[in-house]
Amino acid sequence: MKPLIKKVFTTFVVSCLKLLRFLPLPIIHGLGVVLGLISFLFNKDHRDHAIRNLKQYNLTTNKTGLIGLLFKCTLENSKGALETFAIWFKPQSQVIPWVKKVFGWSDVEKGLQSGKGVIFLTPHLGCFEITSLYYGARHPMTVLYRPPRQKWLLPLITDGRERGQITLAPANAQGVKQLLQALKRGEAIGILPDQAPLAGEGEWAPFFGHQAYTMTLASKLAHKTGAQVFMAFGERLSFGRGYNIHIRAVNAGGIDTPTLLNAEIERTIQQCPAQYLWMYDRYKVRNQPPPPAL
C-alpha cells in the first residue's frame, strides 16, 4: 500500500473507531456480538486456529462442548476488541462507573501498607483495560507494555492507557528499571503474565498440559522486592451491564518459578474461561530451542 493511501486509510479507520466513544456499553457489546457472529461463521482460518488452541487446553470433553466454548469465546473476544477502543477514547470519568463491583480491594490496601509495592498480574482475560484504569484513578501505577507492530496504534495506546496516575513502561531494559523504581517507592506495577516473551526472556514451563515459553520477569521482580502479588481481571457482565473486577492475593513465593506462575494464570482463567483470549498463540516459539518433552 502506497504511503499516501495507507495514511488516508489509517486516518479513516481511526476516525471510525473514535465514534465508539459516543456509544453506551450495551450498544458497543451488541456490535461486538454481531462482529463475533460474522467471524464465527465466515473466518475459517481464525476459527481453525482457535480450535487448535482450545484442543490443546483440554477444557472440554467432546466436540459439542468445544464448539460451544469456541462460539462464546469468539463473541467475547469481539466485544473485547470494540470495548478496548471505547475505553481508550471515552473520558475516564465515563469509564470508571462501568465497574460495578471490586472483589479483593481490601487486600490491595493492606498490600500497599507494607511499603514494598504490589504487582498486578492481569492475563488476557475479560476486559484487561478496565483493571489498570480503575486502579490508576486511585493510586499511582506503572504498566509494562510492548509497542505494537502497527505504528498508528502507538499514540492510541499511549493516550488511552496513560491516564489518571498510570505511567507506561516499554518492554525493554529502561522499562524494567521503571518497574523496579515504582516498587521501591511502594507503588503498584501491572504486567500481562501470559504474553509470550522474546527469546532469552523466558523459560519453558507447563501451561494447560503443554510447554509454553513463559516470562521470568514477574517472578524475578517479586523475589527481588518482596512485593505483594495479585492476580486480577475484569469480568465482562452480560448485556453490557459493565464489569466486576476480581483481585486475588498470591501467597509469598507463589510465582517464584515460571511453572508456579502458569499455575496461577490457569487458576485465574478457570474462573471465567469463555472470556480468555484463546486465539492468542500462547505456544509460539521465538527463535529459541524447542521445549523439552513433558
Side-chain angles (χ1 to χ4, degrees), residues 12-253:
F12 173 75
V13 170
V14 172
S15 298
C16 290
L17 292 173
K18 284 186 176 181
L19 294 176
L20 292 170
R21 71 183 185 271
F22 299 114
L23 301 178
L25 189 58
I27 299 299
I28 294 167
H29 281 177
L31 292 173
V33 168
V34 173
L35 289 178
L37 284 171
I38 294 172
S39 176
F40 182 80
L41 293 172
F42 301 107
N43 192 337
K44 185 178 184 300
D45 290 341
H46 190 266
R47 187 171 63 246
D48 290 346
H49 177 74
I51 288 175
R52 285 195 299 271
N53 280 347
L54 286 169
K55 283 182 177 178
Q56 284 186 305
Y57 295 113
N58 294 321
L59 291 179
T60 57
T61 57
N62 54 61
K63 185 176 181 180
T64 301
L66 175 66
I67 297 302
L69 181 56
L70 172 64
F71 179 72
K72 292 178 182 178
C73 290
T74 304
L75 299 190
E76 292 296 334
N77 291 169
S78 295
K79 291 180 189 178
L82 292 186
E83 76 190 3
T84 293
F85 290 106
I87 288 171
W88 287 352
F89 296 134
K90 280 181 176 289
Q92 188 180 28
S93 60
Q94 293 181 21
V95 174
I96 298 301
W98 287 353
V99 177
K100 303 307 177 184
K101 294 181 180 179
V102 180
F103 299 95
W105 186 257
S106 60
D107 292 333
V108 174
E109 296 289 358
K110 291 178 183 177
L112 287 172
Q113 292 174 7
S114 71
K116 297 181 180 180
V118 298
I119 300 174
F120 284 104
L121 301 179
T122 306
H124 291 87
L125 178 66
C127 181
F128 39 90
E129 296 290 342
I130 198 74
T131 53
S132 60
L133 203 62
Y134 182 88
Y135 185 90
R138 290 157 176 77
H139 300 288
M141 184 180 196
T142 302
V143 178
L144 189 71
Y145 81 104
R146 182 169 293 159
R149 294 179 181 178
Q150 297 83 4
K151 293 183 179 180
W152 62 272
L153 275 173
L154 184 57
L156 304 186
I157 291 174
T158 303
D159 294 342
R161 291 178 175 171
E162 209 162 34
R163 290 186 286 174
Q165 300 180 69
I166 297 177
T167 300
L168 294 182
N172 55 31
Q174 178 58 37
V176 173
K177 183 178 179 180
Q178 286 179 248
L179 297 180
L180 274 170
Q181 290 173 340
L183 291 174
K184 288 179 180 179
R185 292 193 298 268
E187 298 174 358
I189 66 170
I191 298 175
L192 283 168
D194 55 341
Q195 192 166 45
L198 299 176
E201 297 178 357
E203 295 177 6
W204 293 104
F207 183 67
F208 284 105
H210 295 266
Q211 292 282 38
Y213 197 58
T214 304
M215 70 158 56
T216 56
L217 176 61
S219 302
K220 290 177 179 177
L221 288 174
H223 182 74
K224 183 179 181 66
T225 64
Q228 173 64 62
V229 178
F230 294 96
M231 300 299 300
F233 76 97
E235 177 192 5
R236 187 179 301 111
L237 303 179
S238 59
F239 304 107
R241 292 180 292 125
Y243 308 92
N244 286 340
I245 294 178
H246 299 264
I247 303 171
R248 176 174 56 83
V250 177
N251 294 332

